[in-house]
Every structure is written in C-alpha cells, then in structure tokens.
Amino acid sequence: EALGVVLPTWQRAPLQALAKLHVLAGADLGGELGRPRVAAGVSERLDLLAQLVTGGTSAPGPVLVAVVHGELMTLSPFETANGVVARAASRLASIATGLDPKSLGVPEVMCLRRQNDYASALHGFSTGDAEGVTRWLLFWCEALEAGAREARGIADAATT
C-alpha cells in the first residue's frame, strides 16, 4: 500500500526507501527498525545496490529487479523482515524501471508455489558464481512471467 508513497524516494535515495520499508514491515516485530545490521560488508553492498538503482547500470529492468530481490534476500541487511523488504523493493524496482508500472504482477506466487526452486536459485545467486547468478536471473524472469499471467487471471476473474 505504501509503495506509491515510497517510489519517489526509491528513485533518488533507495537506502532511505529501504529504511522506510523496514519500518513498515517490522512495525509489529519491535527491535531497531530502519537501520541495517552492523556487520562486515552490509553497508558497502547496500551502497552498491543503491548505485545500481539510481542509474548505475544499463541492465534491463528484469535483471535489475532480480538483482534487487536477490541481493536483499542474500544480504539480509536488517535483523528482521528482510523477505518483506526484498519483495517490496523488487516491486519498487519493477515500477521504476517501467517493467510493471502499475505493480500488478505477482511473481511471489510462483516463488511460493516453488519454494525449493526459489531457495535453490537464491542460493546460487548468493555464491556469486556465473552459473548460480544465471540460474537466479532465469528463475526470477520466469517468476515475473508467471506473475503477469497470474495478474491477468485475477483481472479476468474480476470481470466475469
């Protein structure tokens, strides 16, 4: 629900947007919200991700969206609610890149239905090796496609 409000911040200051998403996602969980973990490499990797999001890459939208989701899931920058933050951030990236400007696709459905494949592909991304990253990118593109079909099914059901 807050994606529309957070989108302008995502486009110019993605780390602030991630902090806001974490505050929203963890509101019922307590603890320190909005601040990344203090651990080796977390801040540096978040800075690199922010550079990509704010124009530091010419990668196509689906690739950037996959990297946003994969990086946030494997980095787990917050103590809690990393999955919710990663899903919301990938939706923001989908909107910002024009891949899914209305955020109607639901790639999460395929991820839920194929949890083992999702976890395995995500692990491959986390290794950083070319084969693992490729596997993740292909999985995420398949999830985007499945999410678009799912959205169309929901829309068709609503109109009948």
Side-chain angles (χ1 to χ4, degrees), residues 1-85:
E1 198 174 297
L3 291 181
V5 175
V6 177
L7 179 62
T9 305
W10 174 257
Q11 294 172 307
R12 62 176 165 60
L15 298 182
Q16 289 178 12
L18 289 174
K20 176 68 173 173
L21 292 174
H22 187 244
V23 167
L24 293 169
D28 295 336
L29 302 175
E32 188 169 353
L33 299 176
R35 294 201 178 270
R37 294 181 299 118
V38 178
V42 171
S43 178
E44 294 81 5
R45 284 174 63 182
L46 285 174
D47 286 342
L48 288 171
L49 185 62
Q51 289 174 25
L52 292 176
V53 167
T54 56
T57 183
S58 60
V63 172
L64 181 59
V65 173
V67 169
V68 166
H69 186 89
E71 184 66 9
L72 290 172
M73 286 300 292
T74 58
L75 182 58
S76 293
F78 302 104
E79 294 295 331
T80 60
N82 288 294
V84 175
V85 171

Side-chain angles (χ1 to χ4, degrees), residues 41-151:
V42 171
S43 178
E44 294 81 5
R45 284 174 63 182
L46 285 174
D47 286 342
L48 288 171
L49 185 62
Q51 289 174 25
L52 292 176
V53 167
T54 56
T57 183
S58 60
V63 172
L64 181 59
V65 173
V67 169
V68 166
H69 186 89
E71 184 66 9
L72 290 172
M73 286 300 292
T74 58
L75 182 58
S76 293
F78 302 104
E79 294 295 331
T80 60
N82 288 294
V84 175
V85 171
R87 288 187 295 279
S90 66
R91 282 185 172 261
L92 286 170
S94 288
I95 296 167
T97 62
L99 177 65
D100 186 3
K102 301 289 185 192
S103 193
L104 300 175
V106 284
E108 301 87 359
V109 171
M110 187 181 111
C111 297
L112 183 62
R113 289 179 181 154
R114 294 178 42 197
Q115 289 180 25
N116 291 339
D117 293 339
Y118 170 77
S120 178
L122 192 56
H123 173 73
F125 178 84
S126 75
T127 67
D129 69 73
E131 186 177 313
V133 171
T134 299
R135 183 170 176 222
W136 169 252
L137 293 175
L138 292 173
F139 177 88
W140 192 255
C141 287
E142 186 180 348
L144 290 170
E145 186 178 339
R149 279 192 309 273
E150 188 77 24

Side-chain angles (χ1 to χ4, degrees), residues 148-160:
R149 279 192 309 273
E150 188 77 24
R152 170 163 246 156
I154 293 167
D156 289 347
T159 59
T160 57

